[in-house]
């Protein structure tokens, strides 16, 4: 087909969502003169399919013979859906984490945009008074106070469904009024002007941090906000956001868990008169699409989301905040394995705005960056609002008779606290009734058929279940090994402790908080609300409860089994243990009343457990850092892993050995060490054998270059059936 010579020169380099480690080149669509913009979508052919690609680059020439190339079919957008800074961020992410660009760039689009549909409208389902509703007397409906309140709320104009939900109205209230033709559905734009209400009077430490951040809102800078729990980090966020708002700039807030959104959103809504949107997996697709677009158009002043929100579009990025920056939930452990914190720092750099990393127990990586001056370091050393730090003590449980995990000391403390009308928070990081089911006669334990792991015993409903792959089995009546009938629960999980607590404290409400009891989008919010309005009560939970929640009436915190955290195979195990103990402890006495933390352990002499009691995070983390440095582990130097999952037991290590040999035949860099193949700490999971090689070096760039070589070698390798490999840079999973 004859073409203008200079037209055949132009190529669209596209990221197409397929697992290929590269971009695909296409000729511009036939019959269209204008070229698509970078960051816009094009429909491209691939085999017999048509896929949505993202234009990542426009090339003037190519080494490939243009006759072999196909034409892009259709340009889907007149504007770029992905802005230049986010496009660069996504390209950087694909390169840094060595992940297929097509599967990475797609993260810059909302669910419907990925399907090739236009961006969502930001108009939302809402409700307005009908003429009849407007004419209704204020005193009407006095028998239905919620309906009356809903009418009153709508007297100032229409409200969105979300706004009404957040104000506590239920769909049945809406339905009742619709059926009486008092209100009607309308589409509403949340087009509020941006305004902030007056802040708290910041203390000196807060003021210094706020000043440092707000005086540099137009330039990149990384601020580590290290503040003990309850020190008012959130107030620092609020006041810096207010400064960004005043400049008409948006703020992106990244948090580790959706469970934290309701409390945070509520505090933000109390402070700001500005549209706030959330982005997390708990939202339906339609809401996610709409919020994504509200962020892109600049309608949303504040965007609060979990890790993938780090790629959300922003019209006027002014500030990025990562809360609980040490939290492992900020790292994605499958597909694109990335740290949302690290990507957020890169984003701030590309968008030329400041970033605040906040935590009571910052990661050793961030502590190192703060001590070597790369980050600005702000410390909040006192609890705000005059609250005192909690007092902590160890309870040596060796030889003690525990009742469902509770020592007599802890029970005594609980009795006292509860009798004062205060609240108790107990931490037990094991859900289910008991961590294993054991035969008293022969020692058999219920094990998962798919994983190297025991099955957990659950009573509600009765079953044994693997927490790694989800596989469930009915409770055996007899031992499958010796046919004995003395099957016993071994160890203690949250279900069992809950049961015991209800018996021991029959008049006190007990709330269990784990992933079994907290399913549903609003479970966590409802729980937090209930507890806030209650007096004496007991909360018992796993990690879910240890995160940044604010429970003002808790004055006693019990850690039932600190030792379960000691046996970690991970080199980050000690850091995590220390963070968790500090964080859980931080839930105590956050308001006026002093709090007490009791840590039950069989290892009262363990250096980390002792240190948590005696030392602030700064001292403790410095010790952990120097021991990491001595071992040459991150943040000293860099690590990466080439991981492999395989249905066949030997195929994985054979594959990794072949790649290692090929690598060593071509490369000699004495500063890089390859170690492996090693079995993962859990060698089999969900039916797959898991192995890896570790790439270690003192210089990040060199580790990166080696990984690139390995990836190139692995890509050329013919893979046996049932084998998959992937790259893990700065791995957060144990090695
Ligand atoms: P953190 O986020 O560090 O855990 P919060 O921001 O939740 O701490 O603050 C703990 C409590 O202290 C909150 O109730 C908050 O309203 C209050 N607070 C924070 N800063 C101040 C201040 N400057 N003056 C009075 N109260 C404050
Ligand atoms: Zn048996
Ligand atoms: Zn399993």
């Amino acid at each position: 087909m004859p073409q203008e010579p200079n037209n055949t020169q132009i190529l669209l380099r596209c990221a197409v969502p397929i697992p290929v480690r590269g971009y695909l080149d296409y000729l511009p669509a036939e019959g269209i003169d204008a070229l698509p913009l970078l960051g816009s979508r094009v429909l491209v052919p691939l085999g017999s399919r048509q896929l949505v690609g993202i234009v990542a680059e426009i090339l003037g020439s190519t080494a490939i013979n243009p006759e072999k190339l196909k034409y892009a079919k259709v340009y889907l957008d007149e504007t770029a859906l992905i802005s230049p800074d986010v496009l660069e961020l996504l390209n950087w992410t694909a390169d840094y984490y060595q992940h297929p660009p097509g599967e990475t760039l797609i993260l810059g689009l909302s669910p419907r945009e990925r399907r090739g549909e236009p961006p969502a409208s930001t108009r939302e389902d809402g409700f307005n008074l009908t003429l009849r509703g407007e004419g209704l007397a204020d005193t009407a409906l006095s028998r239905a106070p919620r309906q009356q309140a809903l009418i009153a709320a709508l007297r100032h104009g229409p409200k969105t469904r979300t706004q009404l939900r957040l104000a506590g109205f239920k769909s049945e209230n809406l339905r009742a009024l619709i059926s009486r033709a008092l209100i009607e559905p309308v589409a509403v734009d949340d087009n509020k002007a941006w305004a902030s209400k007056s802040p708290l009077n910041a203390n000196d430490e807060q003021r210094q941090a706020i000043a440092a951040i707000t005086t540099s809102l137009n330039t990149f800078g990384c601020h580590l906000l290290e503040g003990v729990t309850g020190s008012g980090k959130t107030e620092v966020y609020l006041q810096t956001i207010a400064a960004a708002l005043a400049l008409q700039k948006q703020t992106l807030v990244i948090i580790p868990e959706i469970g934290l959104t309701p409390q945070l959103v509520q505090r933000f809504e109390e402070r700001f008169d500005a549209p706030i949107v959330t982005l997390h997996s708990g939202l339906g697709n339609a809401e996610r699409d709409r919020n994504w677009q509200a962020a892109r158009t600049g309608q949303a002043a504040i965007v609060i989301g979990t890790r993938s929100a780090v790629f959300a579009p922003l019209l006027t990025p002014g500030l990025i905040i990562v809360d609980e920056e040490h939290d492992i939930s900020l790292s994605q452990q499958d597909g694109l394995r990335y740290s949302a914190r690290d990507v957020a720092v890169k984003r701030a750099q590309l968008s030329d705005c400041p970033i605040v990393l906040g935590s009571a127990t910052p990661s050793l990586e961030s502590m190192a960056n703060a001590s070597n001056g790369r980050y600005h370091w702000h410390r909040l050393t006192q609890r705000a609002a005059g609250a005192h730090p909690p007092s902590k003590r160890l309870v040596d449980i060796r030889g003690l008779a525990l009742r469902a995990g509770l020592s007599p000391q802890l029970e005594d403390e609980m009795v006292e606290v509860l009798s004062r009308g205060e609240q108790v928070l107990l931490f037990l990081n094991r859900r289910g009734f008991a961590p294993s089911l054991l035969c008293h006669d022969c020692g058999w334990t219920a094990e998962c058929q798919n994983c190297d792991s025991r099955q957990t015993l659950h009573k509600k409903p009765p079953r044994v279940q693997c927490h790694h792959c989800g596989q469930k089995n009915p409770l055996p009546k007899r031992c499958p090994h010796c046919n004995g009938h003395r099957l016993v629960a071994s160890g203690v999980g949250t279900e069992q402790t809950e049961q015991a607590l209800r018996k021991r404290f029959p008049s006190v409400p007990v709330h269990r908080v784990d992933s079994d009891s907290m399913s549903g989008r609003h479970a966590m919010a409802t729980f937090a609300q209930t507890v806030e309005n209650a007096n004496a009560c007991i909360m018992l939970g796993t990690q879910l409860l240890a995160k940044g929640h604010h429970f003002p009436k808790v004055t006693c915190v019990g850690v039932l089994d600190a030792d379960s955290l000691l046996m970690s195979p991970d080199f980050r195990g000690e850091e995590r243990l220390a963070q968790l103990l500090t964080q859980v402890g931080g839930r105590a006495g956050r308001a006026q009343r002093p709090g007490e933390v009791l840590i039950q352990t069989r290892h009262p002499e363990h250096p980390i457990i002792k240190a948590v009691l005696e030392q602030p995070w700064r001292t403790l983390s410095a010790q952990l850092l120097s021991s990491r440095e001595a071992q040459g582990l991150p943040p000293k130097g860099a690590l990466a892993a080439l991981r492999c999952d395989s249905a066949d037991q030997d195929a994985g290590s054979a594959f990794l050995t072949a790649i290692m040999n090929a690598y060593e035949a071509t490369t000699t860099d004495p500063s890089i060490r390859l170690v492996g193949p090693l079995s993962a700490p859990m060698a089999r999971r969900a039916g797959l054998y898991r192995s890896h090689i570790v790439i270690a070096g003192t210089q990040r760039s060199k580790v990166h270059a080696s990984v690139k070589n390995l990836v190139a070698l692995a890509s050329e390798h013919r893979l046996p059936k049932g084998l998959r490999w992937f790259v893990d840079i700065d791995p957060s999973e144990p090695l």
Side-chain angles (χ1 to χ4, degrees):
M1 193 179 315
Q3 281 281 331
E4 291 293 318
N6 57 354
N7 196 20
T8 53
Q9 293 291 301
I10 292 178
L11 289 179
L12 310 180
R13 178 153 282 182
C14 297
V16 182
I18 51 168
V20 161
R21 273 157 222 275
Y23 298 85
L24 303 183
D25 292 341
Y26 289 90
L27 295 165
E30 288 176 288
I32 306 175
D33 287 338
L35 287 172
L37 292 174
L38 294 184
S40 68
R41 298 169 302 164
V42 292
L43 216 52
V44 293
L46 189 80
S48 59
R49 293 185 294 166
Q50 290 207 16
L51 297 176
V52 175
I54 298 163
V55 185
E57 214 180 319
I58 295 184
L59 302 179
S61 66
T62 178
I64 302 177
N65 178 356
E67 280 168 18
K68 294 218 165 130
L69 293 173
K70 294 192 172 157
Y71 289 91
K73 293 282 178 207
V74 183
Y75 303 154
L76 293 174
D77 306 309
E78 277 165 18
T79 56
L81 290 196
I82 303 180
S83 59
D85 54 342
V86 177
L87 190 61
E88 194 174 344
L89 180 73
L90 289 161
N91 284 319
W92 174 87
T93 303
D95 180 63
Y96 184 79
Y97 291 104
Q98 286 292 298
H99 196 68
E103 293 181 344
T104 310
L105 267 67
I106 198 116
L107 298 174
L109 300 176
S110 80
R112 63 180 273 144
E113 293 160 10
R114 294 178 195 180
R115 298 190 299 265
E117 292 166 39
S121 157
T122 54
R123 309 203 84 189
E124 202 184 331
D125 287 357
F127 297 90
N128 202 5
L129 294 182
T130 58
L131 277 177
R132 198 163 156 221
E134 275 173 26
L136 200 72
D138 284 339
T139 48
L141 296 177
S142 57
R143 280 152 179 260
R146 291 309 291 158
Q147 293 177 30
Q148 195 179 43
L150 181 48
I151 297 275
L154 292 178
R155 287 213 191 272
H156 311 289
K159 289 227 155 48
T160 66
R161 188 187 283 277
T162 319
Q163 286 169 333
L164 293 172
R165 193 186 68 220
L166 289 170
F169 295 105
K170 304 229 159 64
S171 13
E172 67 228 38
N173 307 138
L174 293 167
R175 274 199 302 272
L177 292 178
I178 292 171
S179 70
R180 300 165 76 171
L182 293 168
I183 67 170
E184 62 191 354
V186 286
V188 194
D189 256 333
D190 191 358
N191 254 340
K192 269 186 281 192
W194 297 2
S196 316
K197 294 174 201 148
S198 55
L200 297 178
N201 195 359
N203 61 35
D204 284 346
E205 290 179 327
Q206 286 173 321
R207 201 170 306 134
Q208 279 177 25
I210 295 164
I213 301 161
T214 53
T215 49
S216 62
L217 277 180
N218 291 314
T219 47
F220 169 65
C222 192
H223 299 263
L224 180 63
L225 182 62
E226 179 202 356
V228 300
T229 47
S231 59
K233 293 184 288 299
T234 311
E235 184 61 30
V236 173
Y237 302 157
L238 291 169
Q239 296 198 26
T240 46
I241 294 172
L245 273 181
L247 299 174
Q248 286 294 308
K249 295 208 168 190
Q250 295 168 285
T251 301
L252 175 64
V253 184
I254 307 286
I255 55 172
E257 293 275 344
I258 44 173
L260 295 176
T261 34
Q263 270 196 332
L264 205 62
V265 171
Q266 196 191 342
R267 279 180 81 174
F268 280 33
E269 289 197 324
E270 280 161 14
R271 178 64 55 89
F272 301 111
D273 220 346
I276 301 173
V277 300
T278 58
L279 290 171
H280 52 76
S281 59
L283 299 180
N285 268 353
E287 201 172 350
R288 216 179 146 82
D289 289 331
R290 192 170 53 234
N291 292 353
W292 197 262
Q293 182 65 0
R296 180 184 284 133
T297 57
Q299 206 169 316
I302 303 170
V303 179
I304 305 179
T306 46
R307 57 184 180 240
S308 61
V310 75
F311 300 112
L314 294 172
L315 183 69
T316 54
L319 175 65
I320 301 177
I321 293 170
V322 180
D323 192 23
E324 308 291 344
E325 70 91 40
H326 67 281
D327 197 301
I328 187 181
S329 305
L330 291 170
S331 293
Q332 176 145 309
Q333 317 261 13
D334 57 9
L336 169 65
R337 289 167 167 72
Y338 69 101
S339 151
R341 176 195 64 218
D342 296 349
V343 174
V345 172
K346 185 69 191 178
R347 177 162 189 177
Q349 194 192 345
L350 293 172
S351 306
D352 227 1
C353 72
I355 179 167
V356 182
L357 307 178
S359 173
T361 54
S363 61
L364 297 187
E365 279 78 3
S366 296
M367 290 301 273
N369 279 324
S371 7
N372 67 24
R374 211 170 307 165
Y375 291 177
H376 306 275
W377 195 354
H378 311 288
R379 290 198 201 107
L380 308 179
T381 55
Q382 310 293 321
R383 283 192 157 182
H388 294 287
S391 62
K392 300 179 189 163
R393 65 182 155 108
L394 292 185
V395 180
D396 182 353
I397 53 173
R398 282 174 295 186
L400 288 188
L402 301 182
R403 193 188 329 211
L406 304 170
S407 63
Q409 288 91 324
L410 181 55
E411 282 196 14
D412 290 348
E413 182 69 27
M414 289 172 69
V415 171
E416 206 162 294
V417 163
L418 293 169
S419 70
R420 290 199 300 262
E422 296 163 9
Q423 302 178 345
V424 175
L425 187 153
L426 300 177
F427 178 75
L428 176 60
N429 207 17
R430 274 190 309 251
R431 63 192 171 91
F433 188 83
S436 57
L437 179 67
L438 185 75
C439 171
H440 199 70
D441 296 322
C442 76
W444 169 89
T445 49
E447 277 172 8
C448 177
Q449 287 101 328
N450 307 322
C451 307
D452 289 340
S453 163
R454 291 178 176 179
Q455 287 183 311
T456 301
L457 172 64
H458 287 255
K459 289 220 166 153
K460 277 187 240 163
R463 64 190 190 276
V464 282
Q465 183 172 15
C466 172
H467 287 177
H468 301 283
C469 71
Q471 147 115 29
K472 290 180 215 178
N473 296 107
L475 275 190
K477 294 209 168 58
R478 288 177 164 267
C479 170
H481 187 244
C482 72
N483 211 28
H485 56 266
R486 294 204 291 167
L487 292 177
V488 292
S490 160
V492 178
T494 47
E495 256 185 40
Q496 188 177 152
T497 305
E498 178 193 18
Q499 205 176 63
L501 288 167
R502 289 191 193 281
K503 241 186 232 158
R504 174 74 177 78
F505 301 97
S507 59
V508 179
V510 176
H511 303 279
R512 175 160 63 89
V513 181
D514 55 31
S515 54
D516 295 318
S517 65
M518 289 288 139
S519 56
R521 290 173 60 174
H522 307 302
M524 209 58 204
T526 313
F527 156 75
Q529 196 69 51
T530 313
V531 164
E532 200 176 321
N533 298 333
N535 289 319
C537 75
I538 302 171
M539 298 164 235
L540 162 72
T542 54
Q543 308 264 27
L544 273 185
L545 205 50
K547 311 251 160 137
H549 296 282
H550 187 50
F551 299 118
K553 293 178 194 161
V554 169
T555 54
C556 168
V557 168
V559 179
L560 298 195
D561 187 8
D563 303 340
S564 63
L565 304 160
L566 281 179
M567 319 300 172
S568 169
D570 186 3
F571 73 87
R572 289 198 173 83
E574 295 195 322
E575 176 186 356
R576 299 247 156 88
L577 168 65
Q579 282 163 336
L580 192 71
L581 287 180
T582 310
Q583 293 281 345
V584 180
R587 304 299 122 218
R590 284 167 58 95
Q592 297 312 322
R593 288 169 278 192
E596 174 129 53
V597 182
L598 281 79
I599 300 174
Q600 300 190 156
T601 175
R602 291 191 170 80
H603 301 276
E605 297 301 320
H606 190 283
I608 300 291
I609 295 195
K610 272 173 69 175
V612 167
L613 245 52
E614 290 154 10
Q615 292 167 359
W617 182 248
R618 185 153 45 105
T619 327
L620 180 49
S621 61
Q623 285 167 14
L624 291 169
L625 255 176
S626 61
S627 98
R628 285 269 187 91
E629 271 182 27
Q631 300 172 65
L633 286 167
K636 182 98 189 159
L639 282 185
L642 185 67
R643 297 187 189 267
C644 174
D645 287 353
S646 162
D648 181 85
Q649 181 154 19
D650 302 318
S653 58
F655 164 75
L656 292 174
T657 306
I659 302 299
M660 265 176 95
N661 289 342
Y663 172 88
E664 275 157 5
T666 54
T667 325
T668 43
D669 182 344
S671 75
I672 296 294
R673 271 181 306 131
L674 294 197
V675 186
L678 307 166
S679 275
M682 181 180 290
R684 200 167 69 105
R685 190 167 71 191
L688 296 175
Y689 293 90
R690 307 160 70 227
S691 49
H692 57 259
I693 49 185
V694 177
I695 302 98
T698 45
Q699 272 174 281
R700 180 171 295 282
S701 58
K702 290 195 169 175
V703 170
H704 203 240
S706 304
V707 172
K708 271 195 171 168
N709 283 345
L710 287 162
V711 164
L713 292 166
S715 305
E716 284 164 15
H717 202 89
R718 257 200 70 203
L719 298 181
K721 231 178 137 218
L723 184 145
R724 173 176 98 81
W725 59 270
F726 43 92
V727 180
D728 201 352
I729 306 281
D730 308 328
S732 58
E733 242 190 287
L735 291 168

